[in-house]
Amino acid sequence: MPLPSPAYFTPGLDADPELAAAINGELARQRDGIELIASENIVSALVLAAQGSVLTNKTVEGAAYARYYGGAEYADAIEALAIARATKLFGCRFANVQPHSGSNANAGAFLGLLNLGDAILSMNVAAGGHISHGHPATLTGRDYKITHYGVNRVSERIDLDELRDLARAARPKMIVAGGSAYPRAIDFAGLRAIADEMDAFLLVDMAHFAGLVATGLYPNPFPHAHVVTTTTYKSLRGARGGMVLWNDERLSKRIDAGVFPGVQGSVMLHAVAGKAACLGEALKPDFHAYNEAVLDNARALAATLADKGLRIVTGGTDMGLMLVDLASTGVTGDVAAGALEKAGLAVNKNMIPFDPRPPEAPSGLRLSSNAGTTRGFGVSEFEKIGDWIARILRDPSDLRAIAETRQEVLALCRAFPIY
Ligand SMILES: *Cc1c(COP(=O)(O)O)cnc(C)c1O
């Protein structure tokens, strides 16, 4: 199948050859490599068009139909469309679609619902949590009193008994669940019971499993969480940015004010249009089939790697992402990721729970089926990917194996073109 030229996707770029070369280089990289990084996906031409549209010229502030600037008639319609689709997709009552990122969605919800210095109980980054949940290097880590929970040493899963003990000691005003490297289902009802005992909010950050929630393939946080946050560019396969979702009208003013003016200024209307676009796509029946394939493919990849003797953290996955413990190979995550990238397989190094190694050279890799599934890979393609990963890990300095794999990866990519 002939691929459209890069210029098709980037009209006007010819005016800046230096920039064009880099952007077209990135397009070629995406076309010819296999994306296994969990925070990425491959958006439709519609989402690309929305994000590259004239909406970038328009500045609006405040909520739809209550703007500070004039000329907002279409801006209002676009934002209202995104909100209507978000609430329909997740079966919730309210949405704020303005957060410029997942981190801003969290910071806005924290700011709206908490007081400075309040205690938050959230998952440790080392156990799979996300830095925007109060890591000391972030503003959230400075503004609130953070206590972290991890996972049980044996099960490598969240242990509600441990978490309850931590909560009873820390008396948090908010419990945060959902991470960036936690591959398993979360007991939201159990967390809510603990939050209720503390009179605390439960915030679920579903960035990595929002698509599965939307299609009923992962536990639904909405009956239990007071507030749910997500990014829109990972499992939702859309615009860069985030959202906050909730059901209780009494929280609306606080959450909206937490996002704007709390943590950000005017709306990125082109991104909001991109969110409307991807949410519209997610409401269509094929998004369900896509998410089923995400799960099938992730399980096939995990099983293939396990067959080759690699340990999958927790023994498997309930979503697109998984963590691989490389300890048995003697290869560290950074070296593995470097060798795999040369073979055209993009992955990221990752800490595993109780990792004895430092974050720069951790024991693990994080993999995801999200993007590969979007380009049409099925179980047999993901089994092949597992074989390639195992081959490279056997000896990451084997340049011949890397070169051979690169050719096979390229052939597979050409058979499943993007754009
Ligand atoms: C990716 C991610 C975020 C942050 O997203 P940014 O858009 O990079 O700010 C927040 N929470 C979780 C769980 C994530 O995985």
Side-chain angles (χ1 to χ4, degrees):
M1 177 175 147
L3 298 172
S5 79
Y8 173 78
F9 290 101
T10 47
L13 254 196
D14 298 350
D16 187 340
E18 207 179 352
L19 182 61
I23 293 180
N24 291 334
E26 172 62 14
L27 176 60
R29 190 190 71 80
Q30 292 182 16
R31 282 174 164 168
D32 292 343
I34 295 177
E35 188 55 70
L36 298 163
I37 295 176
S39 44
E40 302 191 14
N41 214 319
I42 302 162
V43 303
S44 66
L46 170 69
V47 171
L48 280 187
Q51 288 203 99
S53 69
V54 295
L55 297 172
T56 201
N57 294 336
K58 182 63 193 147
T59 300
V60 286
E61 270 179 2
Y65 304 107
R67 311 286 193 186
Y68 185 77
Y69 298 102
E73 143 192 28
Y74 299 106
D76 290 347
I78 289 162
E79 188 167 339
L81 188 63
I83 290 171
R85 289 176 175 176
T87 51
K88 183 170 181 200
L89 184 65
F90 292 106
C92 63
R93 291 184 66 206
F94 303 104
N96 185 312
V97 296
Q98 293 187 0
H100 300 338
S101 67
S103 299
N104 280 22
N106 288 328
F110 292 0
L111 190 67
L113 298 177
L114 300 172
N115 292 312
L116 211 60
D118 276 354
I120 295 177
L121 178 62
S122 64
M123 188 176 230
N124 205 319
V125 168
H130 190 264
I131 46 170
S132 64
H133 300 171
H135 189 280
T138 70
L139 266 183
T140 56
R142 295 192 200 181
D143 288 348
Y144 308 101
K145 210 167 79 206
I146 307 293
T147 302
H148 283 316
Y149 60 90
V151 292
N152 180 279
R153 197 175 265 279
V154 176
S155 68
E156 297 177 307
R157 300 184 192 216
I158 294 170
D159 181 328
L160 286 187
D161 293 329
E162 285 177 15
L163 199 148
R164 188 181 304 104
D165 289 344
L166 285 168
R168 283 179 179 161
R171 306 302 303 179
K173 290 278 188 290
M174 181 183 277
I175 297 177
V176 180
S180 55
Y182 185 73
R184 288 301 190 171
I186 298 172
D187 178 356
F188 298 123
L191 287 172
R192 174 61 186 255
I194 298 172
D196 281 346
E197 187 188 319
M198 308 290 129
D199 214 8
F201 290 112
L202 174 62
L203 180 149
V204 173
D205 180 346
M206 62 173 181
H208 281 282
F209 49 84
L212 295 169
V213 168
T215 48
L217 298 168
Y218 188 88
N220 188 349
F222 284 95
H224 311 293
H226 298 90
V227 56
V228 176
T229 58
T230 185
T231 57
T232 43
Y233 57 88
K234 294 172 185 165
S235 56
L236 288 176
R237 216 162 46 165
R240 299 213 65 81
M243 301 194 290
V244 187
L245 306 149
W246 66 99
N247 275 311
D248 184 345
E249 190 164 12
R250 291 168 301 178
L251 305 181
S252 296
K253 273 210 176 95
R254 292 163 69 182
I255 292 172
D256 286 338
V259 173
F260 168 84
V263 297
Q264 62 184 45
S266 57
V267 180
M268 292 207 196
L269 200 57
H270 60 305
V272 170
K275 290 171 197 176
C278 73
L279 292 164
E281 291 170 349
L283 282 163
K284 296 202 171 121
D286 34 338
F287 194 61
H288 193 277
Y290 165 69
N291 279 283
E292 280 185 325
V294 161
L295 285 181
D296 289 345
N297 290 341
R299 286 173 181 147
L301 177 57
T304 305
L305 294 170
D307 276 352
K308 303 276 178 189
L310 290 157
R311 193 181 79 83
I312 308 300
V313 171
T314 75
T317 179
D318 297 321
M319 57 180 91
L321 81 79
M322 71 203 71
L323 273 183
V324 187
D325 177 0
L326 302 176
S328 68
T329 66
V331 181
T332 55
D334 53 323
V335 172
L340 289 166
E341 186 175 349
K342 283 191 211 134
L345 297 158
V347 305
N348 64 274
K349 64 183 176 189
N350 215 100
M351 304 267 279
I352 61 164
F354 306 100
D355 203 322
R357 303 196 45 85
E360 313 79 65
S363 302
L365 287 179
R366 187 181 66 156
L367 307 174
S368 163
S369 61
N370 283 352
T373 303
T374 295
R375 75 188 295 164
F377 292 170
V379 163
S380 65
E381 286 76 29
F382 271 95
E383 285 170 352
K384 249 186 236 172
I385 291 169
D387 288 343
W388 291 331
I389 291 172
R391 183 205 281 174
I392 301 288
L393 291 179
R394 232 174 284 140
D395 179 5
S397 65
D398 182 348
L399 296 180
R400 216 162 105 198
I402 289 175
E404 267 173 39
T405 307
R406 182 72 191 100
Q407 287 314 308
E408 291 173 52
V409 165
L410 197 55
L412 186 66
C413 288
R414 296 278 159 93
F416 291 85
I418 64 168
Y419 304 122

